[in-house]
Amino acid sequence: MEIRVSGRATIKHQSTGDVYEIEEEELSWDCVGGGEDRGMGPEEQYEASVDHLQLGNLSWSIWEYPVGVESYKSTNVGPHELIEDFDYGLEHSEPDAFDILDQYSIPENAFSIFMDSYHHTGDLLADHGDDLGDQLINRMIFSQQIGAMEAYLSDTILKKAKESSKIRNRLILQDKDLSKEKFTLEEIDRTSDFVKAKVLDHLTSVMYHNLKKVEVLYNIAFGFRFLDLTPNADDLFRAIILRHDCVHRNGHDKDGNKILIFSKVFVQETADKIKYLVEQIENTLNQQAKFGCNT
């Protein structure tokens, strides 16, 4: 993995109006952790900071999740105005189709793992959570609950696609990203069971917090739209945005305001809404399996 940076950053001072330029040579990148395990390995954060004499501390951050995928990036110039930013991001060599799957073992029962997480986080919330809405432990539990939902969604479709050629064929024909893929004969010859490997590799690269995109994949693979199974879709969309603020902004919104909504009641209600959706998906898939659908 390499971090690609080109161009320069141009920043206008909030008070004086003076304009300063930061050159790419001034950035020195470090892995500063993050390390939150979200189902397909840890989420890593890379950061470059510049302590500018007039502008103060400036920082550029990139998050990687899963391995090899840039999930988010952010530039922080404090109170000043960012006129022009660097062109920056993660750059990877193309992995072999089986590389990511070799690093991540698809669990046999994603639903039981989700339920274990639901009960464990619920116990933690009851024993150590706070009734106030700005407490760190509440935000950590809330973030884990969203991560558990992502892991269930990813592990479930990965396992089903690995087992079913019909599901893989539907994804190849109907998923807009897969359908436009082009490969050489040499690439196909080099990898055993090439098509299966590429479909699974594609599914590992999906951002499973993007529920609308994931719902499209589920509809292609299984023939149902899972957001139609819950009355809480809008609340789940909001919860995912809030989780982003917890993980990437330390519980503050994009304007820097501290978010005070994470009470024990709110966190538990969100967990219950997530659990309801997961149960509805699992029940629907079990009914399909009972009658031999999507096999």
Side-chain angles (χ1 to χ4, degrees):
M1 188 280 303
E2 294 182 354
I3 295 177
R4 164 188 53 78
V5 183
S6 62
R8 61 173 59 87
T10 306
I11 303 166
K12 183 178 180 180
H13 195 283
Q14 179 194 36
S15 301
T16 66
D18 293 336
V19 175
Y20 300 92
E21 290 185 346
I22 310 297
E23 301 293 338
E24 60 182 275
E25 293 81 8
E26 299 180 60
L27 301 185
S28 179
W29 293 89
D30 294 302
C31 181
V32 296
E36 179 193 0
D37 196 324
R38 293 172 52 193
M40 290 187 289
E43 180 181 52
E44 299 291 352
Q45 179 184 353
Y46 304 91
E47 183 177 280
S49 61
V50 174
D51 191 12
H52 194 273
L53 184 61
Q54 287 79 25
L55 297 170
N57 186 259
L58 314 169
S59 65
W60 288 259
S61 300
I62 302 172
W63 285 265
E64 177 186 29
Y65 176 81
V67 174
V69 177
E70 178 186 309
S71 59
Y72 183 72
K73 64 183 178 183
S74 175
T75 299
N76 183 1
V77 297
H80 311 296
E81 179 185 352
L82 180 65
I83 298 174
E84 181 181 0
D85 203 356
F86 297 107
D87 178 13
Y88 68 102
L90 294 185
E91 189 168 84
H92 293 261
S93 57
E94 184 68 22
D96 182 86
F98 281 115
D99 281 355
I100 294 178
L101 293 176
D102 287 342
Q103 297 172 22
Y104 177 64
S105 177
I106 304 171
E108 187 63 29
N109 193 328
F111 180 70
S112 66
I113 294 173
F114 170 83
M115 290 303 298
D116 285 345
S117 176
Y118 170 80
H119 291 302
H120 190 194
T121 54
D123 291 342
L124 285 173
L125 184 67
D127 294 341
H128 303 289
D130 198 292
D131 291 330
L132 297 177
D134 63 346
Q135 299 301 298
L136 176 61
I137 186 66
N138 293 23
R139 298 201 306 270
M140 292 173 64
I141 293 169
F142 176 84
S143 298
Q144 171 58 30
Q145 292 163 346
I146 302 295
M149 176 181 67
E150 291 182 49
Y152 170 81
L153 292 172
S154 64
D155 291 340
T156 298
I157 195 170
L158 274 165
K159 185 173 185 297
K160 297 288 188 182
K162 184 177 182 180
E163 295 172 345
S164 171
S165 60
K166 290 183 178 179
I167 289 175
R168 294 196 299 273
N169 289 338
R170 287 197 292 272
L171 288 167
I172 291 167
L173 291 173
Q174 298 178 49
D175 179 79
K176 62 181 181 63
D177 294 319
L178 275 173
S179 63
K180 67 183 181 183
E181 290 275 13
K182 306 293 182 184
F183 305 103
T184 66
L185 289 176
E186 189 274 333
E187 288 177 299
I188 297 172
D189 183 64
R190 190 174 62 224
T191 303
S192 174
D193 211 353
F194 180 85
V195 173
K196 178 179 179 180
K198 279 297 181 183
V199 171
L200 299 181
D201 186 38
H202 170 68
L203 291 176
T204 63
S205 72
V206 172
M207 295 292 100
Y208 283 88
H209 59 260
N210 186 342
L211 293 184
K212 289 186 177 180
K213 178 179 178 63
V214 177
E215 185 187 42
V216 170
L217 287 174
Y218 267 63
N219 193 37
I220 294 170
F222 308 122
F224 67 90
R225 294 188 173 275
F226 60 68
L227 292 176
D228 290 343
L229 303 177
T230 175
N232 305 310
D234 289 342
D235 293 334
L236 295 178
F237 289 139
R238 183 184 180 214
I240 289 168
I241 294 172
L242 288 170
R243 180 199 172 277
H244 181 277
D245 291 332
C246 289
V247 173
H248 299 301
R249 298 193 179 102
N250 195 29
H252 292 72
D253 64 21
K254 61 183 178 62
D255 297 319
N257 302 308
K258 192 167 188 178
I259 303 172
L260 305 176
I261 198 173
F262 301 105
S263 66
K264 287 176 69 172
V265 170
F266 175 78
V267 173
Q268 187 58 54
E269 286 179 348
T270 302
D272 292 339
K273 290 172 183 177
I274 293 171
K275 174 174 170 282
Y276 180 83
L277 173 63
V278 169
E279 287 176 333
Q280 294 304 304
I281 294 172
E282 188 71 11
N283 290 339
T284 302
L285 292 173
N286 287 339
Q287 285 296 311
Q288 290 184 344
K290 181 179 179 180
F291 295 103
C293 304
N294 296 322
T295 58

